[in-house]
Amino acid sequence: MIEEGSKSSKSMVEKRQLFMEMRAQNFDVIRLSTYRTACKLRFVQKRCNLHLVDVWNMIEAFRDNGLSTLDHNAEINVSRLETILSSIFYQLNKRLPTTHQINVEQSIGLLLNFIVATYDSEGHGKLTVFAMKAMLATMCGGKILDKLRYIFSQISDSNGVMVYAKFDQFLREVLKLPTAVFEGPSFGYTEHSVRTCFPQQKKILLNTFLDVLMADPPPQYLVWLPLMHRLANVENVFHPVECSYCRSESMMGFRYRCQQCHGYQLCQSCFWRGHASGPHSNQHQMKEHSSWKSPAKKLSHAISKSLGCMPIGEPPHPVFPEAAERPQDLAHTTTLESPSRLDEEHRLIARYAARLAAEASNSTQCPPTDLSFNFDANKQQRQLIAELENKNREILQEIQRLRLEHEQASQPTPEKAQQNPTLLAELRLLRHRKDELERRMSALQESRRELMVQLEGLMRLLKDEEQKQASQTGSSPHSSPSHSASCTMPMPIRSTSAGSTPTHTPQDCLAGVGDDVLDAFSQGVPRNLRNDLLVAADSITNTMSSLVKELHSVDDGLEDEEENMRNGREKVSSLKHPGKRQSTPSF
């Protein structure tokens, strides 16, 4: 229960980490909601490393994960969303140099928690495919023109006309982003959002859609979107101008110049916070500058503009054809599991080459010179197509090989799974037995050392006793052996008094000694005590020798078991790498 509680608390901390870091940036001091929203979303974009992934990488990731064929209202769970984000960031790390690698796991965790908090606030564990596409296409890096073109392809019909219901669904999903960063009152979704962007009931094509969303100013509900892209473009722009409020000698980012106060300019930090000094007021109209031009460049620009050497106004975007572009089916470039898709691609290329040849042969209205020219051009096209086909086949084979190598490298090693559990159990048993025998041997060695000390003391006593007997025999030859034995080996005297201390005799040092030594001292007359002590020492030595032999046998068994385990692992290794079988000994 304690572990589950710690895991849940850790999960809550990870979910709130991004929002806590965003609050630490103190974006709320910015007085204009448009700039607050753009700065907060730009912070989320950079913190999750989405600014390193452009919209084309996102489209490729959607196609690789099978989202292009799913209905917009289809739901995916959080686990699949995590898989999609993993593919996005792992592919990003492959494109980045080794010195600029990102922390993939951290990026996945932060972005996953942000998406779930934004689009699954009720905790259902699911979100729609369209919501995920709209969010990632909006928050990724790249040009806003490319993003809007992709979004229009998702909300238009087969004729290239925008479907109002789909655009309304897009607004519902994309306006959850300002709400997620606590700016919902300013840019929340309402039922009149669509009519505010497109007030007139008419057919909306791609160019009209781009004109409206990239206008200056853009629709009120999406005014933060182009500003977020402008923030990304001016982060490293340097202005060698002094701020009129904070007196900073240079500016980074945006520069704001007052249209009423001559020479009054503010850096973006002072302007966003509403600072003003002198006669200047926050109510004055300010012009935003995203670049710096020297006075000489301004003069040349004005002269060129007055002489008509340059266009007065540039269009906000290029004009695209009104006809709907047919989407390209590039599924065969990534789905390599079945060879039939490769054959289908080759057949399509061959069919295209045959059609070119048929068109060249059927063009009878052209003069002969044109026919020969068309034939040569057709021949060159066929050669080019053949080369491209061969190159494409090589690339697909290389991709297939790299994918197989990656799958093999990512699989867990089967060494542990292939080991024999019986051998492991026997090995553990032998090691346990060895440990017990080693402990027993240590105890016996300690006992032997103590016994040898006792034996040395007994030998000294025996030597002293023999000397006493020899001296007594020489002094009184008629003394009885029993008397001398009773004198030399007195029995211990035990007192019945509770307070008295028992006297100890040399026999007390025999505690723990073998039976042979005890028998030697149990008789009234010593019976070849030296031989008995030597027999006791030999019995201890024999016991130690048998114990050492048993330890050696256990060590040999352990070595055999370890050799069997090594042979098993080598066999598993040979099965994993069949190309190295020649250098592996046969089993």
Side-chain angles (χ1 to χ4, degrees):
M1 295 296 292
I2 297 176
E3 294 181 356
E4 292 179 359
S6 61
K7 289 181 180 179
S8 61
S9 61
K10 182 179 180 181
S11 177
M12 292 298 296
V13 171
E14 291 178 352
K15 289 181 179 180
R16 297 175 180 176
Q17 178 181 355
L18 185 63
F19 297 101
M20 293 170 63
E21 293 179 1
M22 184 179 65
R23 287 183 182 274
Q25 299 296 319
N26 202 18
F27 291 123
D28 291 331
V29 300
I30 301 176
R31 63 189 182 96
L32 300 177
S33 60
T34 303
Y35 287 96
R36 281 200 311 270
T37 306
C39 289
K40 290 179 179 180
L41 292 178
R42 175 62 178 170
F43 172 80
V44 173
Q45 183 190 50
K46 294 181 65 176
R47 188 65 182 85
C48 297
N49 290 313
L50 277 176
H51 65 295
L52 302 175
V53 185
D54 60 21
V55 67
W56 304 111
N57 300 133
M58 285 296 178
I59 296 173
E60 182 182 1
F62 296 158
R63 185 177 62 245
D64 292 344
N65 289 275
L67 299 180
S68 301
T69 58
L70 294 179
D71 186 75
H72 283 176
N73 296 323
E75 292 184 341
I76 58 175
N77 53 24
V78 178
S79 177
R80 186 171 182 184
L81 175 61
E82 185 176 5
T83 303
I84 296 171
L85 298 182
S86 300
S87 66
I88 292 173
F89 287 111
Y90 278 112
Q91 291 296 327
L92 171 62
N93 249 1
K94 291 180 181 179
R95 297 189 298 268
L96 294 176
T98 55
T99 56
H100 293 76
Q101 297 286 302
I102 66 170
N103 189 338
V104 175
E105 297 298 331
Q106 186 183 37
S107 301
I108 295 172
L110 291 175
L111 183 56
L112 180 65
N113 291 328
F114 179 75
I115 295 177
V116 171
T118 304
Y119 294 99
D120 188 30
S121 58
E122 297 181 358
H124 297 301
K126 294 182 179 180
L127 69 159
T128 63
V129 173
F130 185 75
M132 189 197 64
K133 285 184 176 181
M135 185 272 173
L136 293 178
T138 303
M139 293 294 295
C140 68
K143 299 179 180 179
I144 186 174
L145 177 64
D146 297 332
K147 294 183 181 181
L148 294 178
R149 288 181 61 193
Y150 173 72
I151 292 170
F152 185 82
S153 68
Q154 301 296 306
I155 62 175
S156 58
D157 57 15
S158 58
N159 297 321
V161 180
M162 188 190 76
V163 180
Y164 277 88
K166 291 184 178 180
F167 179 71
D168 181 74
Q169 185 180 4
F170 166 73
L171 285 181
R172 287 176 183 270
E173 304 301 341
V174 79
L175 290 179
K176 290 179 181 179
L177 294 173
T179 304
V181 294
F182 314 107
E183 297 295 336
S186 301
F187 301 104
Y189 172 82
T190 63
E191 297 179 356
H192 306 287
S193 300
V194 177
R195 297 305 171 194
T196 303
C197 298
F198 300 99
Q200 299 179 358
Q201 287 273 1
K202 62 179 182 178
K203 185 170 65 174
I204 305 298
L205 300 177
L206 175 60
N207 291 313
T208 308
F209 180 78
L210 297 177
D211 290 339
V212 172
L213 294 187
M214 297 184 67
D216 188 16
Q220 178 61 30
Y221 288 96
L222 298 174
V223 68
W224 51 269
L225 181 58
L227 178 58
M228 185 179 69
H229 289 78
R230 295 205 306 272
L231 281 174
N233 294 331
V234 302
E235 284 181 348
N236 299 318
V237 174
F238 177 77
H239 305 270
V241 181
E242 181 183 19
C243 178
S244 300
Y245 182 83
C246 65
R247 299 302 175 183
S248 175
E249 297 181 356
S250 60
M251 304 180 188
M252 294 293 293
F254 286 120
R255 175 172 55 92
Y256 298 89
R257 184 166 55 88
C258 181
Q259 301 298 298
Q260 299 181 20
C261 304
H262 177 72
Y264 193 90
Q265 301 187 80
L266 293 176
C267 63
Q268 67 176 19
S269 178
C270 293
F271 175 75
W272 289 355
R273 286 158 176 78
H275 294 162
S277 61
H280 177 71
S281 172
N282 290 331
Q283 304 300 323
H284 292 180
Q285 184 179 3
M286 303 290 287
K287 185 176 181 180
E288 183 182 275
H289 295 271
S290 58
S291 62
W292 163 256
K293 292 181 181 180
S294 62
K297 289 185 178 180
K298 291 181 180 179
L299 179 60
S300 62
H301 180 81
I303 294 174
S304 300
K305 186 177 180 180
S306 62
L307 295 177
C309 299
M310 60 182 300
I312 297 176
E314 297 181 358
H317 63 84
V319 180
F320 296 96
E322 297 294 342
E325 298 179 359
R326 297 180 60 185
Q328 297 179 355
D329 184 10
L330 302 178
H332 55 276
T333 60
T334 57
T335 308
L336 304 175
E337 288 77 4
S338 60
S340 60
R341 292 188 176 272
L342 297 178
D343 297 337
E344 181 181 0
E345 181 184 7
H346 297 158
R347 286 196 298 270
L348 289 174
I349 295 175
R351 187 183 304 170
Y352 179 69
R355 189 176 67 179
L356 290 176
E359 290 178 357
S361 61
N362 293 333
S363 58
T364 57
Q365 298 179 357
C366 297
T369 56
D370 293 338
L371 286 175
S372 61
F373 176 78
N374 290 337
F375 179 76
D376 295 338
N378 189 22
K379 184 177 180 181
Q380 293 177 359
Q381 290 176 355
R382 287 200 302 271
Q383 292 177 354
L384 179 60
I385 290 173
E387 293 176 359
L388 293 176
E389 181 180 356
N390 294 331
K391 187 66 175 178
N392 187 35
R393 188 183 297 107
E394 294 176 0
I395 293 174
L396 293 177
Q397 291 175 356
E398 181 68 15
I399 293 174
Q400 179 69 13
R401 184 184 65 80
L402 293 175
R403 177 170 293 182
L404 291 176
E405 290 181 358
H406 177 70
E407 291 177 355
Q408 292 177 0
S410 61
Q411 290 178 355
T413 56
E415 294 181 0
K416 295 183 179 180
Q418 297 293 334
Q419 289 179 351
N420 191 345
T422 305
L423 294 177
L424 292 176
E426 293 179 357
L427 184 61
R428 286 194 295 268
L429 182 61
L430 288 174
R431 288 177 178 172
H432 181 67
R433 183 182 177 187
K434 180 182 177 181
D435 295 338
E436 290 182 352
L437 291 176
E438 287 178 351
R439 288 193 296 269
R440 181 182 173 189
M441 183 177 179
S442 300
L444 289 176
Q445 287 178 349
E446 183 66 21
S447 300
R448 181 186 181 188
R449 186 184 63 80
E450 295 176 356
L451 183 60
M452 293 303 295
V453 173
Q454 294 177 0
L455 287 176
E456 290 178 0
L458 291 175
M459 293 297 291
R460 286 194 297 269
L461 290 175
L462 178 62
K463 186 176 180 179
D464 295 340
E465 183 65 25
E466 288 178 352
Q467 291 177 357
K468 289 180 180 180
Q469 288 181 358
S471 62
Q472 290 177 1
T473 304
S475 61
S476 58
H478 298 286
S479 60
S480 61
S482 61
H483 178 72
S484 62
S486 63
C487 293
T488 57
M489 299 293 294
M491 296 300 292
I493 300 175
R494 300 181 180 178
S495 175
T496 57
S497 175
S500 62
T501 303
T503 59
H504 295 277
T505 65
Q507 253 183 344
D508 294 338
C509 64
L510 298 179
V513 183
D515 295 335
D516 294 333
V517 180
L518 292 176
D519 292 341
F521 285 95
S522 62
Q523 304 296 332
V525 180
R527 55 172 187 84
N528 201 359
L529 183 58
R530 187 188 302 274
N531 293 335
D532 293 337
L533 294 175
L534 293 176
V535 168
D538 290 339
S539 64
I540 294 174
T541 304
N542 293 333
T543 303
M544 297 294 294
S545 300
S546 62
L547 183 60
V548 170
K549 290 180 181 180
E550 190 171 0
L551 283 174
H552 285 311
S553 64
V554 172
D555 291 336
D556 294 338
L558 286 173
E559 292 178 357
D560 295 338
E561 294 297 334
E562 291 177 355
E563 182 67 24
N564 293 333
M565 297 298 290
R566 285 196 297 271
N567 294 335
R569 286 194 292 268
E570 290 177 357
K571 179 180 289 186
V572 172
S573 178
S574 63
L575 293 176
K576 287 175 59 182
H577 306 283
K580 299 182 181 180
R581 289 180 179 174
Q582 296 179 357
S583 61
T584 305
S586 59
F587 292 88

